[in-house]
Amino acid sequence: MKRPKLRKASKRLSCSKRYKIQKKVREHNRKLKKEAKKKGLKKSVKKDPGVPNSAPFKEEVLREAEQRRLQIEEEKERQRQAKKEERAQKRKKEKEPAAKEAEPSAKKARKGTTANNSEKHSATNKNSAQHLCAELNKVIEASDVVIEVLDARDPLGCRCPEVEEAVLLKGSDKKLLLALTKIDLVPKENVEKWIECLQREFPVVVFKASTKIQDKTVKAKRRRKITASNEVLDQSKAAACFGNDCLTELLTAYAAKTQSEAVLKVGVVGFPNVGKSSLINSLKGMMACHVGVTKGTTRNMQEVHMSKTVKMIDSPGVVAAPSNPAASMALRSLQVEEGQESVMDAVNTLLKQCDKSQVMLQYNIPDFRNSLEFLTLLAKKRGYLQKGGVPNTEQAANTFLTDWTGAKLSYHCKVPGNYSLPIYMTDAVVTEMQNGWDLDKVRAGNKETLKGVKFPNLASSMIFVSRGPTAGLLRALAIPEEQPSAENAQQHNNQEEEPELTEESHETEELEEPQKTVKDKPKQVHFPPAPVDISLSTVYTDDAYDFNTDFK
């Protein structure tokens, strides 16, 4: 009986009935097979025996059969193509009247889209120096307070005189503030000395950003899963943030003093990978700006609302001028990311600025003679091996460079004893920049921050030789295109000629003098003599053949 609510009757059967039917079918098939066997009928199709080997002209017959088969296939393909063309023509004829009616509006829309695309392509590329300089100028123009972020490991090298001058030229309307980030990678004594040194010019705020900030949605999901007892895990060294309360109080107090209805705009500027976006994310308490280990992650200015009275503006990194020293370019320029300089050359320049023994202790590797040997040992230590067990020196060089630019490696620069103020910093400018800030509150906040942060030991931190302030570009037209390439190439050649790394800072200064002579006389090439150890200990103990002596 058919059910009233269903379209079709149910085909479900009881198991006994289904098995009975299957049994009957099997018996019927068996009966048919027996009858066919008695009559001598067979279903098997005979196979094509092909051309026997004894047949004359066998190859010609096979060739003709193959040609016939190919002809049949070609004919079929031709017929298929003809049918496709017929269908396409039919579709065209059907669409023609509708297309004629809507032709003007469609053409206009198409023209508009092509024009917009051409304008976008004609505009400056986001990765170009012109775009980065334009975005940086926008941030400086739009902001009331400019925070220059400095890496505490090399604060003097992270300062850009051109940016500071540009802010000071705007007059007393704009204020400049210095923020020392990554203080957990520098010994406490060194941080205190740098604060005293930089406070003579601008107000200084120390800051330790959190590197484990996530989006609000991820936090909400984790709160449901994780119990209150596991909240201790969030207070780890990377997740903890120090100095955010001091900076927010300072900015809100300054916004209240201005007594204007408009929101206080605070621009954050600095060289790539100094911690601009991390500072904004830590103040906001969520992932507002994109952060990355690679340099040049931020390419456009981005506004982030902190409160009703304060708004932060993130900016791309300052473009370093090609006239800077090689060490400054390796740390703060985008030449490696853009392919203008190799990673090996950048590692070579950085190794020359450090003490060799400290590098060996930091990376736990034996003695090395040049940068290539150092990268080979580092690759073996970390397990960066290619096919056949060959050390991957390029991967080792990338990790070494990310250690230096990222928030991982602990190194510091000594405060210069005879440090003098720049030319653009007069007494009137200093008093004008410090006016309006509660300096006692800043000092008290810095003391609290220094109490909470866990600093590395002075012995475990490497000493780095700073090259002074890094020159930056605010206009893309100021980029010399021909000179830097020649100078860099000459520097790389000089770096490759030096067989050994310096062990102390005074040795690096001695090695710079022969480089200058090479630059003065580029036509003459001087090969410095390689040091040879002829001691008895090496003769008897080190009898194994070293491939690095002949193949460098």
Side-chain angles (χ1 to χ4, degrees):
M1 182 181 166
K2 193 175 181 181
R3 296 184 195 179
K5 289 186 180 179
L6 297 174
R7 291 181 184 177
K8 293 181 182 179
S10 176
K11 292 183 180 179
R12 289 187 294 179
L13 301 169
S14 63
C15 291
S16 60
K17 199 171 184 180
R18 189 169 68 248
Y19 296 149
K20 204 172 184 180
I21 292 165
Q22 288 173 1
K23 190 180 178 183
K24 290 276 184 185
V25 170
R26 281 198 300 272
E27 287 175 358
H28 178 69
N29 290 334
R30 204 180 294 120
K31 193 177 179 181
L32 289 174
K33 281 179 186 177
K34 279 183 180 179
E35 287 176 1
K37 198 175 182 182
K38 283 177 184 178
K39 290 177 182 178
L41 298 171
K42 286 185 181 179
K43 283 186 179 180
S44 59
V45 182
K46 288 183 180 180
K47 292 181 181 178
D48 184 16
V51 183
N53 291 329
S54 58
F57 312 110
K58 180 186 174 181
E59 290 179 2
E60 291 178 6
V61 171
L62 290 171
R63 206 178 295 120
E64 283 176 8
E66 185 65 24
Q67 285 175 0
R68 210 176 303 118
R69 189 180 61 79
L70 290 171
Q71 283 174 3
I72 291 163
E73 285 181 1
E74 284 174 6
E75 188 64 34
K76 284 180 180 177
E77 189 64 32
R78 245 183 258 118
Q79 287 174 2
R80 275 193 224 105
Q81 290 294 334
K83 283 179 182 178
K84 277 186 183 178
E85 287 173 6
E86 282 177 12
R87 282 193 224 108
Q89 284 176 0
K90 279 181 183 178
R91 281 194 217 102
K92 268 188 183 179
K93 285 174 184 177
E94 289 171 3
K95 287 180 181 179
E96 269 177 7
K100 281 179 183 177
E101 292 174 4
E103 193 175 354
S105 60
K107 271 190 179 179
K108 282 177 186 176
R110 209 176 294 119
K111 280 179 184 177
T113 51
T114 50
N116 290 333
N117 289 332
S118 62
E119 282 175 9
K120 283 178 185 176
H121 287 299
S122 63
T124 53
N125 187 15
K126 285 185 179 180
N127 297 328
S128 66
Q130 291 179 354
H131 175 77
L132 297 175
C133 293
E135 291 293 310
L136 182 63
N137 286 319
K138 281 181 194 175
V139 173
I140 294 170
E141 285 288 337
S143 54
D144 304 317
V145 177
V146 178
I147 297 177
E148 188 178 12
V149 182
L150 310 177
D151 192 338
R153 296 175 289 185
D154 185 11
L156 197 62
C158 292
R159 289 187 68 174
C160 181
E162 286 76 15
V163 172
E164 292 177 7
E165 277 188 272
V167 175
L168 295 174
L169 285 170
K170 302 294 179 183
S172 60
D173 297 336
K174 294 187 188 295
K175 297 285 182 182
L176 190 63
L177 195 70
L178 300 180
L180 274 178
T181 56
K182 303 179 184 178
I183 55 171
D184 57 323
L185 301 172
V186 184
K188 189 177 181 179
E189 303 85 5
N190 190 258
V191 175
E192 288 172 348
K193 286 178 183 177
W194 274 113
I195 291 167
E196 288 176 10
C197 178
L198 296 170
Q199 269 179 352
R200 291 189 287 167
E201 301 176 48
F202 302 104
V204 182
V205 179
V206 289
F207 196 89
K208 192 264 168 187
S210 175
T211 56
K212 287 192 176 180
I213 290 177
Q214 293 178 336
D215 199 6
K216 272 187 175 181
T217 54
V218 180
K219 281 187 177 181
K221 284 178 184 177
R222 286 198 173 186
R223 275 174 196 165
R224 292 169 200 163
K225 293 178 184 179
I226 298 172
T227 56
S229 60
N230 288 338
E231 286 179 3
V232 184
L233 295 170
D234 296 333
Q235 301 300 323
S236 61
K237 188 182 176 183
C241 177
F242 298 96
N244 54 346
D245 296 331
C246 174
L247 190 56
T248 48
E249 285 174 11
L250 198 68
L251 294 172
T252 48
Y254 184 78
K257 278 184 182 179
T258 52
Q259 294 178 356
S260 61
E261 294 179 0
V263 181
L264 182 72
K265 293 182 179 179
V266 182
V268 183
V269 298
F271 283 100
N273 264 45
V274 290
K276 302 182 294 296
S277 303
S278 299
L279 184 138
I280 294 170
N281 290 338
S282 299
L283 290 174
K284 182 73 175 173
M286 61 173 285
M287 187 70 78
C289 303
H290 187 58
V291 181
V293 181
T294 54
K295 290 186 281 187
T297 307
T298 308
R299 294 289 179 179
N300 297 310
M301 65 177 286
Q302 182 183 351
E303 293 185 354
V304 180
H305 291 270
M306 306 302 295
S307 62
K308 291 180 181 178
T309 55
V310 180
K311 183 196 286 184
M312 304 288 282
I313 306 172
D314 193 12
S315 68
V318 180
V319 180
S323 58
N324 287 307
S328 301
M329 294 297 286
L331 285 172
R332 287 169 199 98
S333 72
L334 300 173
Q335 287 186 344
V336 176
E337 282 74 13
E338 292 171 357
Q340 296 175 9
E341 186 186 9
S342 67
V343 194
M344 306 290 184
D345 295 334
V347 171
N348 194 13
T349 52
L350 288 175
L351 284 171
K352 287 181 179 179
Q353 303 302 314
C354 305
D355 187 4
K356 189 181 182 181
S357 58
Q358 288 184 341
V359 174
M360 289 161 58
L361 288 168
Q362 184 72 34
Y363 287 95
N364 196 15
I365 55 170
D367 192 10
F368 55 92
R369 285 166 293 184
N370 48 31
S371 59
L372 184 62
E373 191 176 354
F374 165 75
L375 292 172
T376 307
L377 293 166
L378 183 63
K380 286 179 180 177
K381 182 76 179 173
R382 298 280 177 93
Y384 302 148
L385 302 174
Q386 293 175 335
K387 199 173 181 180
V390 180
N392 193 346
T393 53
E394 192 171 351
Q395 191 179 356
N398 283 318
T399 51
F400 179 80
L401 206 60
T402 49
D403 286 352
W404 280 78
T405 54
K408 192 173 182 181
L409 191 68
S410 173
Y411 66 90
H412 66 279
C413 298
K414 292 180 179 178
V415 181
N418 54 352
Y419 179 72
S420 58
L421 297 178
I423 303 165
Y424 55 86
M425 287 302 296
T426 59
D427 294 333
V429 172
V430 171
T431 52
E432 191 180 330
M433 285 293 119
Q434 291 183 352
N435 190 20
W437 302 103
D438 192 353
L439 297 177
D440 296 329
K441 204 172 186 179
V442 173
R443 290 190 190 96
N446 288 342
K447 280 182 182 178
E448 286 181 12
T449 306
L450 293 175
K451 282 179 185 177
V453 178
K454 189 180 179 182
F455 294 95
N457 192 12
L458 190 65
S460 63
S461 181
M462 293 168 59
I463 299 171
F464 182 75
V465 182
S466 179
R467 291 297 178 186
T470 308
L473 296 172
L474 294 179
R475 292 180 185 176
L477 299 173
I479 303 172
E481 294 180 356
E482 297 176 2
Q483 293 179 1
S485 60
E487 288 176 7
N488 289 337
Q490 211 166 18
Q491 285 177 5
H492 299 332
N493 292 334
N494 295 334
Q495 288 166 7
E496 288 173 4
E497 285 170 10
E498 289 179 310
E500 287 192 353
L501 293 166
T502 55
E503 293 185 356
E504 294 179 359
S505 61
H506 65 85
E507 290 184 16
T508 58
E509 292 173 2
E510 290 175 4
L511 283 169
E512 280 176 5
E513 292 175 6
Q515 285 183 10
K516 288 179 183 176
T517 56
V518 175
K519 283 185 181 179
D520 294 335
K521 297 179 182 180
K523 291 181 182 179
Q524 297 178 0
V525 181
H526 300 281
F527 293 93
V532 182
D533 191 7
I534 339 170
S535 61
L536 291 169
S537 59
T538 55
V539 172
Y540 290 105
T541 57
D542 193 13
D543 56 343
Y545 181 71
D546 190 6
F547 285 90
N548 292 323
T549 54
D550 296 324
F551 303 101
K552 290 186 179 179

